[in-house]
């Protein structure tokens, strides 16, 4: 084979969702051009002793997201520039974020504005889920056009003022998405249960973040997940549950799949590695772990690892939603003498886009999941489920040469200073991981090397994603 | 890229366990050398409109198998030559058969004899599972050497005189296999339940094949599967249940996997497409459907399709074990005036090695499983589970160029004359399938074209299979 | 023992929820005064060869219920007089009906009006559930007073305009009931799913009663039941699901109980004996089987019998709600030339108060449940769950002498003319049952003998029922 | 009512499996003669503020049982005299013990010998289960005669040399018992798993009692229970699992019952109150907790409480099998200089016959089960399941006047000196219970008062128990 490749990654161990094999990988014009042995090219990257993976896909991030707090609006500390750069440093080469239309704004307008915000700033390619926070006829009439524009997944909520859809609205939305060939996502927590639990605690004067897990009980997730599954079943729409956090939720999903429903489940690294014990931290420190759903019991975490391994959950996202512990979580941006917020006033969300791939590899090290399953749930599964195939998430010729070189033996102690996320803490502080990305390629160019961004100006592109048609649903 | 490929398959839709994408596939020296676009080579096969799959792997066949009947010994009608040629015609490029050591024969001797029998006759590459029909120290001491010789999976039985292992024997065998890094297979039916059910029927004078399903109740499978799973769990050995035929069996396996056990399940095409209604056929015709476990209810079949789709079962085999309806099933080889055998004297087994791949594609057509899942359960899953990765079951460079060109629109009515199996009937007689293989390549050479063998002399090789180590267990 | 009993039932086989034993039963002043051998009294009833049971309790009837149809209001054909007399003829000595407050009417007012309607007309004692069709503060503030007045169970709906409560309303209602020590009942079907299914059918012009089962899918019951269970769990209120009709619903309840929740489930005779095959009847005849939830599959029925036997369901009601086939189901009361109503305009409900006890005994005959379990689910369970202990549902001294003499060998062919219900058909027409009540005693007096009312003027009393406190919740 | 009772218990709260009610209870000739109000008799016992229960039935005790240890034979420290007196002090008025035929001894002979041993010594009435430690034709031919003699339950083992039956033997035994109308009991632990676990530990030199739980893994119970259930299902015999100790075992039983199988499960007080944390006690102290199956995790215990409450388990036994900590558990009877025994040489079994009733009442106090359910699982359930109805386990007229007066508010700290068991320790040492029996009546006579035996000479009778026929199976 001639030396007509732009770049060849040599001697690596290629790891995909299905295979682990030794091969060189030839890149031309930003794409994987060939997999073979003894390839040569104008440039060469030596990968002996390293895994070569398809770049990880984070299906669930919130960058530069406006949040409306009791103390006024704020915005997540990681914007499109910093958040995607951190993603790339962690081996994530595609993120899928959300469009959240304002009242009165059409979906198309909101999409255009969100794309404009990201383009020229995003360091990695990105897709966008559309949030359906209303289900009127005019809004749902836009769904097919959005699908044609490459926004093929639609997020709904069962809670949060301004977002929550009632059952009939959910069903209408699901049917519209199903007819258009899209995928329905749901944040599933029962709103009434959350409201009552919070109210009860506050009435007892229990307002510290230590109460947070109690304010969002596991039954709320279980209930809303059963509901969303039943509505999606009736609507005939493929369904994806974001951030499943409990054993009970995972069991609901498993039962639905065993009944034959097309349904998928995501969990997040924080539900696998952290527990509600964090809320016992002294003072306001527990606020760093406030996210919805909350951290759960150790038994929940163990069950989630098993569900990932057994195929009962299909993807891991980060739900990256970074707010600084000082200045944001404490609502200090609203003035120094504002009292500390109650548990339900703290901006919710954890950072995690950078460490996700390595955290899940930690499960491989501990024997909780297999090596190829790791790639499946972090890279290939999300790509497939969200219509990025065959361009992303695979090492096939024609695929974008988004790649990670991952050193399975490198030991890293997680702490703020080794991460590139623009936020003043990491919830994994002090955790020692074995295995860390050492280089990331974006469409054929080395963009990160040894934790340093070397990719020049940001060049992330908006990704038009495919529909859930037969060819690409491909049961994960 | 230069024209240095021996053969290029152009314009096909490559379908793997994970991906569906358009690419050319370049072959050199019998192996997949590259996947890319615009490849050229000395020869070209046009695959426009066709799927290009990794050759199917049948993990469960019985070719040229001696059976000891009440009327004396017989041998399955398909031998290594005819059976593997039929396999190739159906798109199966690797079969895994069994070694069954005779009393007094060492495992090594039995392996050598079985290999010698196949080599020079097998049209496709083949692996061998070792049958452990005893668990004495000397026998188990051979396990590591067998693993080194590439026989890395070991079948045990919970029933059949001469095969059945008691619990302590099973446990010893499982531990030996686990220590050696192998995979434990079990035919799981409770022997005492089978014996009692058969005895009861015979005592009532009910001896016709119409009684067959009643003679092997579903509870027998459920019980033995629970037992084998528990023993494998205790032994710490990866476990593979052959031919799961019931909803209850699939549920047992699912629960084990949800508990975190490394356990896999195979079903067979006959349990997905046929039901116990076949045993109501008039006269001795029901004998054609005598196989163990028996055909089950329609509800069982529906549950098995769901389990395949949901990831709760991981592989489909054929359990091809062909006996002629006339001359063998009726024991007529023992003389014309021998009375027709009782249900439990009929040589058990169905043919099916040829239609397996197309039968499971039928589930794709009916929307029961996805396209990539079809490749997973017929090709990639078996290859991975049985240590043939990365050589078989994938389209990765370096993999053997064992390939199927599959026309998803070709309609075929199954009947004896369209099949190449050396047996006088097909249990699927009259079934109309959409989708059929139109060409099969074996290590880079077109061996079957439009149902005709054009591959010259048989050249199947014995495959040394890998162990269940971390790299290759890769949760399927 | 002296002859100081008013009445002695001699030589019967006393059957209770726990026991089956030979004893005489002495009655004094309308109550069971003693159980013993050789009792004598002023009067004697000979019960040799008969079962003597506590009078059956029907926890779920709708007598003299106003229904608002598309063609205007109508009222169930059985009023307090006819319905309770039919109940008595079938061995049911207590019914629990519902109060349904009108808009603007207080719960207390509605209760008073409903009591007034029944008193002097009801032939058997009766309790009343309160329907909570709103959950405003003023309404819920009435709950404790109602409990004190003996109305200790509160029914909510997840569907039906004018009845449906939203999640936060359900939760508030459940909490109010829980705090007051009551029991929360829910009719669980997801309203949005029902609405969409009906709309879809109607849009396709499919309006005949043959469509009825399709208009209320099983998933609607499953979803709403999961929801009500989760809300009740959070509210800490004992929960009772009325008319569970599906295997999936029964499984939800079983899982809740296994998690430790205080939750009970009722099914009805029609879901045990009839299936959705009835909707295939020609012409408008299917309308006779229109009830909500609808009749289900045979597999559902089999699962419900198993759940009753295994203790996973705790009670059987009739949901008696009789409308004449001619004149009501067809809306003919609105005029002769009104077109036949669509499936969702047909007044819903089946008669069944009279045959319930014998129908469930049919399960004893067929070996589906045990003899004592029959008494538990028809008599004792409902009494205990609804706070009628120890006065009703038992044969203990001090209990009201409400008794049934049941001939286990009497064969009856169900048909309109053997029943006393005031309605022009029976859904069980032609069914042959073995076992039928031959006499019914109400507070010590023989009120029915061989199917004839001999009890004189109606004398049913309103029953003040107990709370769900520790002593009487007594896990059934 | 005249004063013709021998004894009247006045003003008590009668608590049965179904009811809680205020009544007097009249006794004549050792039997309950009447339940009523205002009864008078020659003697009176005042029970104001006390519960009056049917005497508890302990379905699982081992009194005066020979055990064959590594150091020679020994016998349980409680013999028929001391053990039954302790039982009576704890409110247990009937025990069911076991006959264990010696090799060569017929079942009839063994029964006669065992009866002879007990009669004249037993303080309470007693039944006997027959142990089937072999399943040859002659032995099984004795089953019907035993049933006629009142021994209607038959225990089998899946482990222990001299007891273990193979599958075909179990099936034969189950069929023989089923045909005779009896009940099949099984001690379910997989023998091969136990043997291997013990051997592994011993080979590593780990022989202390701290290893005991590890030597009998939960999977061994789960496996053997699934097996016994499947064999019983096939045999069509009612099945009773003794001493279920794990959540997994309880779930197996629940699934069988949901499938419609006639199967019951017992757990024991020690699995509800104690955990495997006891094995961490220093030195040889852990030996006091050696019993089979072993104590399990706290999560198992919580699941067992839930299963009891939900009706998924039906009875609580004590499995009382007392060996002195000093002199027996340590094998010191074999000589002072014998080394301490390995974990698998320690005589297995815990004392518990006396505190069982109060321990389970502890679950009522903690809200884990209801008051009537307590009576069901300790008194009525065992009586019904084992064919003692209507004579035992009930407060019906005609029933034996075996009664307990139980003070629900009396606080007792469990310790050796408050108990009457003839053994030098209690595993519940220091546990504080609320609720304790204050008097026990045996066939109408006060035999225990305030913890003192006042019953004179022992007068326990052998009980002929009924078969599992329709009348009495009565789903519990």
């Amino acid at each position: 084979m001639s030396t007509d490749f732009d770049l060849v990654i040599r001697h690596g161990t290629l790891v995909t969702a299905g295979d682990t094999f030794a091969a060189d990988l030839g890149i031309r014009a930003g794409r994987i051009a060939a997999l073979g042995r003894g390839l040569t090219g104008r440039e060469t990257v030596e990968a002996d002793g390293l895994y070569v993976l398809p770049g990880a896909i984070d299906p669930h991030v919130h960058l530069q997201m406006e949040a409306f707090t009791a103390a006024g609006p704020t915005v997540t500390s990681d914007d499109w520039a910093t958040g995607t750069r951190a993603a790339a440093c962690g081996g994530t080469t595609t993120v899928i974020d959300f469009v959240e239309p304002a009242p009165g704004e059409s979906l198309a307008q909101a999409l255009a504005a969100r794309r404009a915000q990201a383009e020229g700033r995003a360091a990695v390619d990105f897709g966008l889920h559309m949030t359906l926070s209303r289900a009127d006829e005019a809004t749902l009439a836009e769904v097919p056009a959005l699908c044609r524009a490459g926004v093929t997944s639609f997020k709904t909520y069962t809670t949060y003022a301004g977002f929550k859809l009632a059952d009939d609205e959910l069903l209408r939305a699901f049917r519209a998405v199903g007819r258009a060939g899209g995928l329905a996502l749901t944040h599933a927590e029962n709103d009434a249960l959350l409201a009552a639990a919070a109210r009860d605690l506050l009435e007892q004067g229990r307002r510290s973040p230590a109460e947070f897990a109690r304010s969002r009980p596991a039954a709320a997730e279980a209930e809303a997940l059963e509901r969303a599954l039943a509505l999606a079943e009736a609507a005939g729409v493929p369904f994806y549950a974001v951030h499943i956090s409990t054993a009970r939720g995972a069991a609901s999903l498993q039962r639905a799949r065993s009944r034959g429903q097309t349904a998928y489940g995501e969990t997040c690294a924080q539900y696998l590695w952290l527990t509600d014990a964090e809320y016992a931290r002294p003072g306001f420190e527990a606020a760093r772990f406030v996210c919805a759903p909350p951290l759960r019991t150790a038994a929940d975490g163990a069950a989630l690892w098993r569900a990932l391994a057994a195929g009962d959950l299909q993807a891991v996202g980060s739900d990256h939603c970074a707010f600084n512990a000082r200045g944001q979580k404490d609502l200090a941006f609203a003035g120094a003498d504002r009292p500390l917020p109650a548990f339900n006033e703290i901006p919710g969300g954890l950072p995690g886009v950078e460490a996700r791939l390595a955290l899940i590899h930690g499960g491989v090290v501990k024997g909780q999941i297999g090596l190829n399953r790791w790639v499946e749930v972090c890279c290939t599964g999300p790509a497939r489920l969200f219509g990025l195939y065959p361009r992303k998430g695979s090492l096939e010729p024609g695929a974008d040469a988004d790649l990670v070189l991952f050193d399975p033996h490198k030991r890293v102690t997680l702490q703020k200073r080794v991460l590139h996320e623009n936020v003043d803490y990491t919830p994994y502080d002090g955790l020692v991981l074995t295995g860390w990305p050492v280089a990331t390629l974006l469409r054929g160019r080395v963009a990160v090397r040894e934790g340093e961004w070397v990719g020049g100006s940001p060049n992330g592109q908006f990704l038009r994603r495919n529909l859930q048609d037969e060819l690409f649903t491909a049961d994960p």
Side-chain angles (χ1 to χ4, degrees), chain A:
Chain A
M1 203 176 288
S2 67
T3 62
D4 55 355
F5 295 112
D6 300 338
L7 177 65
V8 171
I9 298 176
R10 291 204 310 185
H11 303 140
T13 298
L14 277 56
V15 186
T16 73
D19 295 89
T20 310
F21 59 103
D24 301 339
L25 187 154
I27 295 166
R28 193 183 310 118
R31 301 203 162 204
I32 296 172
L35 309 178
R37 302 282 169 88
L39 303 189
T40 55
R42 281 193 300 282
E43 286 186 68
T44 299
V45 170
E46 182 62 37
D48 188 34
L50 302 178
Y51 294 153
V52 181
L53 323 178
I57 316 288
D58 194 331
H60 192 160
V61 302
H62 297 279
L63 303 177
Q64 208 165 326
M65 183 192 83
E66 284 187 82
F68 299 90
T69 78
T74 187
V75 63
T76 50
S77 60
D78 262 318
D79 63 14
W80 282 103
T82 62
T84 54
R85 195 171 282 200
C89 291
T92 290
T93 57
T94 297
V95 297
I96 316 183
D97 204 306
F98 297 83
V99 184
E100 297 183 346
E105 190 182 30
S106 74
L107 305 187
Q109 289 167 333
L111 170 60
R114 188 75 166 143
R115 273 190 63 172
Q117 192 185 54
E119 280 168 344
R121 309 196 73 212
V124 303
D125 290 352
F126 63 97
L128 290 167
H129 307 288
M130 178 56 63
T131 302
L132 294 175
S133 51
R134 53 191 195 245
D136 57 281
E137 210 168 308
T139 298
L140 296 182
E142 284 197 77
V143 165
L146 281 160
C147 285
R148 286 191 298 272
V151 173
T152 56
S153 49
F154 296 81
K155 186 176 185 187
T156 55
Y157 287 83
T158 63
T159 187
Y160 293 125
F163 287 91
K164 172 178 189 274
L165 297 188
D167 286 9
D168 58 340
E169 294 173 316
L170 269 176
L171 185 57
R172 268 206 306 278
F174 283 178
R175 289 168 70 139
V177 172
R179 270 195 307 271
L183 179 68
L185 277 59
T186 301
H187 173 130
E189 289 185 288
N190 182 291
D191 186 65
L193 289 180
L194 302 186
R199 199 168 46 237
D200 286 356
L201 290 163
L202 295 173
E203 282 174 8
Q204 297 167 43
R206 299 162 69 181
R207 54 193 311 279
S208 94
E211 308 294 343
F212 188 68
R214 273 178 289 274
S215 77
R216 303 184 91 97
E221 174 170 293
E223 189 288 321
L225 197 46
E226 287 283 347
R227 174 191 321 213
L229 283 163
L231 293 168
E233 176 187 1
V237 70
F239 177 79
Y240 178 95
V242 297
H243 53 49
I244 292 178
S245 64
T246 59
R248 200 162 148 187
S252 287
L253 185 77
Q254 188 275 321
R255 284 197 303 274
R257 289 171 57 84
S258 282
R259 282 195 300 268
Q261 187 170 353
T262 302
Y264 312 106
E266 165 197 287
T267 188
C268 303
Q270 54 270 40
Y271 304 116
L272 297 163
W273 276 100
L274 304 176
T275 74
D276 55 7
E278 304 291 354
Y279 298 117
R281 290 185 179 233
F284 198 69
E285 202 179 322
R288 299 176 179 214
F289 300 91
V290 164
C291 58
L295 304 178
R296 306 289 192 182
T297 68
D300 284 309
L304 294 172
W305 276 115
R306 288 198 303 271
L308 267 188
D312 294 338
L313 292 175
Q314 291 73 39
V316 177
S318 70
D319 200 2
H320 181 81
C321 187
F323 293 105
N324 287 309
R326 303 201 174 182
Q328 291 191 293
K329 288 272 183 187
D330 53 9
L331 300 187
F333 64 85
D337 45 359
R338 200 191 181 282
L340 283 171
F343 62 79
N344 64 337
E345 296 171 325
I346 299 165
L350 299 191
V353 72
E354 188 166 357
R356 182 184 62 115
L357 183 65
L359 284 164
I360 306 312
H361 180 264
V364 179
V365 172
K366 294 198 287 174
Q368 291 170 305
I369 61 169
L371 185 66
N372 302 102
R373 186 76 190 153
W374 166 52
V375 176
E376 171 69 27
V377 300
C378 289
C379 313
T380 313
R384 187 161 42 212
L385 292 172
F386 290 103
L388 294 167
Y389 262 99
R391 186 170 166 193
K392 302 290 187 186
S394 104
L395 297 183
E396 300 300 343
D400 281 355
D402 290 349
L403 301 166
V404 187
L405 276 59
F406 191 94
D407 180 348
H409 301 111
K410 180 166 181 173
R411 283 170 68 87
V412 169
T413 301
L414 286 179
Q415 44 193 310
K416 171 67 200 117
R417 67 178 179 74
V418 305
L419 297 171
H420 303 77
E421 299 164 343
N422 183 38
V423 57
D424 64 356
Y425 77 104
T426 172
Y428 304 103
D429 194 48
L431 181 65
V432 182
L433 291 177
T434 300
W436 196 257
V438 292
T440 305
L441 282 78
L442 296 174
R443 280 185 270 112
R445 294 169 52 198
V446 177
V448 178
R449 180 170 290 147
E450 294 295 342
E452 289 306 305
W453 175 264
V454 296
S457 299
N459 189 29
Q461 296 176 3
F462 172 70
L463 297 169
R464 294 172 183 273
R465 294 180 291 112
N466 292 309
L467 292 171
Q468 297 280 314
D469 62 358
E470 181 261 1
L471 212 62
F472 297 99
T473 43
D475 323 78

